[in-house]
Amino acid sequence: MRAERVFAYGAAAGLLGDHLLGDPRRGHPVAAFGRAAGAVERLLWRDHRGWGALHTAVCAGGAAALGLAASRAVRRSPAASVALTAAATWAVVGGTSLAREAGAVGRALEAGDIEAARARLPHLCGRDPQALDADGIARAVVESVAENTSDAVVGALVWGAVAGVPGLVGFRAVNTLDAMVGHKSPRYRRYGWASARLDDLAGWPGARLTAALATAAGGDPRGAVRAWRADAAQHPSPNAGPVEASFAGALGVRLGGTLSYGGRVEHRPVLNGAAGRPVRAGSGDIERAVRLSRRVGWLALGACAGARLLVRGVVKKGRTS
């Protein structure tokens, strides 16, 4: 069985497994990677970009190397190759957990239990929940759903299409390292620089595909394109900007603005501010964002699998011509 079919069948099975089962409650491979990366950090940490780059290379390179070794070990068996791709896809995507956590916060807001919503918000993002009212929590959830659709689903599928199992696990390793050390705290401003920059590079294609698919699958394609073109570049993140702007336009809401991380207040540009309305708790905005995220994930699978099959066909035609 050719590699493009292995990816298509395996990724479809893995994404279906995530949809039906979600993440394992114990022994998640990403959690195991996080513990290993933490141990490497304890050995290597210095307030220096070079040591941080070494940390990134060891952890992300090691994860991709393990994926490559596993792929080579089963390459003679099509069934085992598909099973490995399915297992890797299920392990690295997190669409169902994202939807469940967003839904839990949404239900708490609908019930008027803002304290329960604040308690669940840290499962989705690093915002300071005590600084947010009900509408602010709802906006944070919608923004997190948008950004994590790219980080936790589409980006992994893109790199899986490019490089198979090593691409799947390597991308998730890079994304996890960025979450661990890629922020601008005094400890990680220099040490986490390489992880943050590598995450920007690895996330670039997935973010653009996510934005394009949200535009196509949302309720207002013209609004999504308008918000993407007008506002995405103003966002401090080169990848979150297109994703959040396109989601805002597709959903007809306004995202961005003032937010707080660990007591540090940031004033970010408003996305879709001219045409969107504020996100409101209990208005169904969270549920609509989750449904859009689901559609984008399945469309991304089709796009990635189709692109790999198309590339194979072009290469084969070029060799025979």
Side-chain angles (χ1 to χ4, degrees), residues 38-224:
V40 173
E41 179 189 340
R42 288 191 291 274
L43 289 173
L44 296 181
W45 188 90
R46 306 288 190 281
D47 190 16
H48 190 277
R49 284 185 176 184
W51 285 95
L54 178 60
H55 175 243
T56 303
V58 168
C59 295
L66 285 174
L68 179 61
S71 296
R72 288 182 172 177
V74 301
R75 66 181 182 273
R76 297 185 182 279
S77 170
S81 296
V82 170
L84 177 64
T85 303
T89 303
W90 172 69
V92 303
V93 301
T96 294
S97 292
L98 175 64
R100 286 175 179 172
E101 292 298 336
V105 177
R107 288 189 294 273
L109 291 174
E110 288 179 358
D113 191 347
I114 191 170
E115 292 305 320
R118 284 172 173 157
R120 293 301 294 262
L121 186 63
H123 292 267
L124 277 171
C125 61
R127 308 280 177 87
D128 181 2
Q130 299 305 318
L132 298 173
D133 60 10
D135 291 344
I137 292 173
R139 174 169 65 85
V141 171
V142 172
E143 291 171 354
S144 182
V145 167
E147 184 174 2
N148 281 291
T149 300
S150 177
D151 289 344
V153 182
V154 180
L157 293 173
V158 167
W159 283 102
V162 171
V165 171
L168 287 165
V169 299
F171 174 81
R172 189 58 191 269
V174 169
N175 189 248
T176 303
L177 286 174
D178 179 60
M180 294 177 67
V181 304
H183 37 89
K184 295 181 179 179
S185 66
R187 177 178 174 86
Y188 295 122
R189 186 177 300 275
R190 282 177 285 272
Y191 187 81
W193 178 86
S195 290
R197 297 293 75 77
L198 183 58
D199 183 68
D200 287 342
L201 289 172
W204 196 95
R208 273 71 193 169
L209 179 59
T210 302
L213 294 177
T215 297
D220 186 359
R222 290 184 178 180

Side-chain angles (χ1 to χ4, degrees), residues 2-21:
R2 293 190 176 96
E4 63 273 11
R5 293 182 181 273
V6 168
F7 171 74
Y9 299 154
L15 198 60
L16 181 61
D18 175 69
H19 181 73
L20 296 175
L21 304 173

Side-chain angles (χ1 to χ4, degrees), residues 249-271:
L251 297 171
V253 299
R254 188 184 310 154
L255 299 178
T258 301
L259 49 85
S260 175
Y261 284 99
R264 186 182 75 255
V265 176
E266 293 185 14
H267 300 283
R268 292 186 177 177
V270 175
L271 307 175

